[in-house]
Amino acid sequence: MTIEMSPADQAKFIAAKRATQYVEDGMRVGLGTGSTAAWLVRCLGEMVKNDGLQITGVPTSTRTADLAREVGIRVSTLDEVKWLDVTIDGADEYDANLNLIKGGGGALLQEKIVATASDQMVVIADVSKQVEALGAFPLPIEIIPFGWQTTKTLVEETLINLDVMGRSSALRLDRDKPFITDEGNYILDLHLRRIGNARQVSLVLNQIPGVVENGLFIDICDVIVIGHGDGTVELRDINNGTVTHDKVEIVDGDNLFSEF
Ligand code: 5RP
């Protein structure tokens, strides 16, 4: 069945396709989670099928693992592979320093572990994810189910002393039940509105018993590939301080308008 992609989806696809240039034969590749990362997995699957690309993928969620297997990517675990050449993943927000909010898809814990265990993290996004200050997108934190209401109260009390504009939090639901992560935990979404000092917020949140990890990715992302619906991309490399522009050619085999 063929479907027409929205401009936002085209931009995500373009970013994902350009990011495949960071992947070479023989690499161990961390595979992110979310709709943009799903495009990446599909593009890599095409390269495995059509160009004989040989990679080992380490997925950051069961969803991504299922998709990677479906498109023919050899899937392994971080415990088997231990260290990765590159991780490519989406983001919910990015700022000028390439600090991120992630976890909108609930996979932040595995995503952070995998990205941190990589020589390079490449983020793929459309320009709608760009912000001046992080925090408009609710910050997800993964918490242990035991005593979660106490943890929620502690988190909100802790936020009083931090440079944030909002302090309310909400347990993420999956219909009428708590959303459960791949690690069997819950997600609290923190409505901070604006985070003044993201590094401090990240460090302090992780000190609270019951908090497993938070969705702030500070100094983890090396490169961002920002896709636009017209096929152009902007690449920002935080280590080299470079900003470059490129155009991604859409070819027939890209099957842009077909449903995978
Ligand atoms: C999942 C994530 C995703 O990368 C983030 O939510 C972006 O998703 P999408 O590409 O669908 O906009 O962090 O936990």
Side-chain angles (χ1 to χ4, degrees), residues 87-110:
T87 284
I88 307 177
D89 199 351
D92 298 299
E93 282 186 353
Y94 63 89
D95 70 10
N97 298 314
L98 305 197
N99 292 324
L100 317 170
I101 285 185
K102 283 187 52 57
L108 69 99
L109 179 55
Q110 290 190 20

Side-chain angles (χ1 to χ4, degrees), residues 62-231:
T62 48
R63 256 172 301 157
T64 299
D66 291 345
L67 179 62
R69 284 194 190 95
E70 197 183 307
V71 300
I73 297 173
R74 185 149 64 90
V75 166
S76 187
T77 63
L78 188 58
D79 283 322
E80 271 169 15
V81 171
K82 300 202 173 48
W83 195 261
L84 302 166
D85 297 288
V86 64
T87 284
I88 307 177
D89 199 351
D92 298 299
E93 282 186 353
Y94 63 89
D95 70 10
N97 298 314
L98 305 197
N99 292 324
L100 317 170
I101 285 185
K102 283 187 52 57
L108 69 99
L109 179 55
Q110 290 190 20
E111 289 172 336
K112 207 179 220 180
I113 293 171
V114 167
T116 304
S118 305
D119 284 343
Q120 194 176 31
M121 182 194 196
V122 176
V123 165
I124 47 180
D126 62 283
V127 76
S128 70
K129 308 288 182 66
Q130 182 172 309
V131 293
E132 241 169 68
L134 298 171
F137 189 92
L139 174 66
I141 61 173
E142 181 150 346
I143 61 168
I144 292 197
F146 177 83
W148 73 268
Q149 295 188 67
T150 306
T151 303
K152 179 176 186 295
T153 305
L154 263 174
V155 166
E156 287 178 356
E157 281 175 4
T158 302
L159 290 171
I160 293 171
N161 299 313
L162 296 175
D163 183 8
V164 292
M165 267 178 78
R167 294 186 185 88
S168 65
S169 68
L171 183 70
R172 190 177 298 181
L173 298 178
D174 181 3
R175 274 165 284 197
D176 54 345
K177 297 218 169 66
F179 172 90
I180 308 285
T181 69
D182 275 350
E183 304 303 317
N185 295 317
Y186 291 172
I187 297 275
L188 264 188
D189 289 305
L190 311 187
H191 295 263
L192 309 179
R193 288 164 47 208
R194 188 178 192 286
I195 303 173
N197 185 339
R199 188 181 307 274
Q200 184 193 37
V201 168
S202 176
L203 288 172
V204 172
L205 284 175
N206 281 13
Q207 296 303 311
I208 300 171
V211 173
V212 183
E213 191 49 87
N214 69 81
L216 285 164
F217 282 48
I218 311 292
D219 294 340
I220 296 178
C221 172
D222 297 284
V223 174
I224 187 154
V225 182
I226 305 159
H228 299 276
D230 63 358

Side-chain angles (χ1 to χ4, degrees), residues 229-243:
D230 63 358
T232 57
V233 283
E234 182 179 324
L235 299 107
R236 295 187 200 163
D237 184 321
I238 199 74
N239 303 314
N240 302 338
T242 53
V243 178

